[in-house]
Amino acid sequence: ETGVTQSPTHLIKTRGQQVTLRCSSQSGHNTVSWYQQALGQGPQFIFQYYREEENGRGNFPPRFSGLQFPNYSSELNVNALELDDSALYLCASSLGGEELNTEAFFGQGTRLTVV
Amino acid sequence: KQEVTQIPAALSVPEGENLVLNCSFTDSAIYNLQWFRQDPGKGLTSLLLIQSSQREQTSGRLNASLDKSSGRSTLYIAASQPGDSATYLCAVPGANNLFFGTGTRLTVIP
């Protein structure tokens, strides 16, 4: 059991709306990363948060934004939703900083459908 | 940019067979390699993490090997079971992210 929890598990939104996805990291982990996984593809990196600061970003537009809270939980916000944003959104928890060889643990994902 | 490739994309085997899944990566300067399992529509379950200093890692019926110099890793599954049916993904770390392959979809036929 990984201890990483995501909410909600499923979500349907209309094009143009905004959405917030949530992730609780595993106890003792200070780093949260978000990934987007389209059907039949591998997960694509959106961004990472380490100790409440953004610590790297993938090739996603600024309408994808995030937050990390003092308890290391995190939010992913997507504005002006587009049909192509429909995907499984995955949150990964790890111990970052000087620990480079640590294992990443994933939540069960949030399935977002944009109609 | 790191690129990760997994072959085959899909594999179907009868129950009880031993099988090998392949993963290759273009940049050998990696700290580790991680294998994951993903059931349809679900999140990723970590199976094995191999550090760059290791050549093999075992967990139950699973054995993963890593050859950094050739940019390859294999996941060996012994005595496959229908419950092993899932997509298997390998991933290598970048500066602050993981690079994933597109996975191998395994079906074990009873």
Side-chain angles (χ1 to χ4, degrees):
Chain A
E1 191 172 349
T2 67
V4 181
T5 57
Q6 293 185 241
S7 62
T9 55
H10 295 86
L11 200 53
I12 299 175
K13 288 286 190 178
T14 303
R15 189 173 49 183
Q17 285 188 315
Q18 178 266 343
V19 67
T20 297
L21 310 183
R22 295 177 174 83
C23 172
S24 294
S25 60
Q26 182 163 312
S27 177
H29 285 180
N30 54 19
T31 302
V32 171
S33 304
W34 287 92
Y35 291 82
Q36 181 195 67
Q37 186 180 25
L39 205 59
Q41 301 296 314
Q44 298 294 314
F45 176 64
I46 303 175
F47 44 58
Q48 181 185 83
Y49 278 84
Y50 169 63
R51 292 186 176 178
E52 303 179 58
E53 299 286 332
E54 187 176 291
N55 185 45
R57 187 179 183 93
N59 188 27
F60 281 81
R63 58 190 185 83
F64 285 77
S65 63
L67 279 174
Q68 188 178 32
F69 300 99
N71 66 354
Y72 301 130
S73 66
S74 177
E75 287 182 354
L76 164 65
N77 300 290
V78 187
N79 294 322
L81 284 166
E82 301 177 358
L83 296 180
D84 285 350
D85 295 334
S86 295
L88 182 67
Y89 288 84
L90 296 164
C91 166
S93 166
S94 60
L95 185 61
E98 295 182 359
E99 296 292 332
L100 296 175
N101 295 329
T102 61
E103 194 169 358
F105 295 93
F106 282 76
Q108 79 278 20
T110 294
R111 169 67 64 185
L112 173 64
T113 302
V114 182
V115 299
Chain B
K1 180 189 171 186
Q2 178 75 267
E3 291 186 6
V4 181
T5 304
Q6 291 188 247
I7 295 173
L11 183 62
S12 184
V13 300
E15 181 177 1
E17 224 176 71
N18 303 325
L19 58 102
V20 174
L21 307 180
N22 297 293
C23 171
S24 61
F25 45 94
T26 54
D27 185 350
S28 61
I30 59 171
Y31 292 107
N32 58 50
L33 183 144
Q34 200 165 352
W35 281 94
F36 294 91
R37 169 188 171 134
Q38 186 174 34
D39 293 299
K42 304 295 185 183
L44 307 182
T45 299
S46 179
L47 297 173
L48 289 163
L49 173 75
I50 314 178
Q51 304 292 358
S52 60
S53 57
Q54 298 175 308
R55 292 187 64 85
E56 284 191 5
Q57 188 71 266
T58 298
S59 176
R61 294 183 293 109
L62 305 180
N63 176 276
S65 68
L66 175 62
D67 184 344
K68 276 186 58 176
S69 61
S70 67
R72 293 180 182 177
S73 176
T74 61
L75 179 66
Y76 174 83
I77 303 178
S80 58
Q81 303 172 357
D84 296 330
S85 297
T87 296
Y88 292 81
L89 294 145
C90 65
V92 295
N96 44 33
N97 65 299
L98 292 174
F99 291 98
F100 284 88
T102 52
T104 294
R105 188 173 69 253
L106 173 65
T107 302
V108 181
I109 303 166

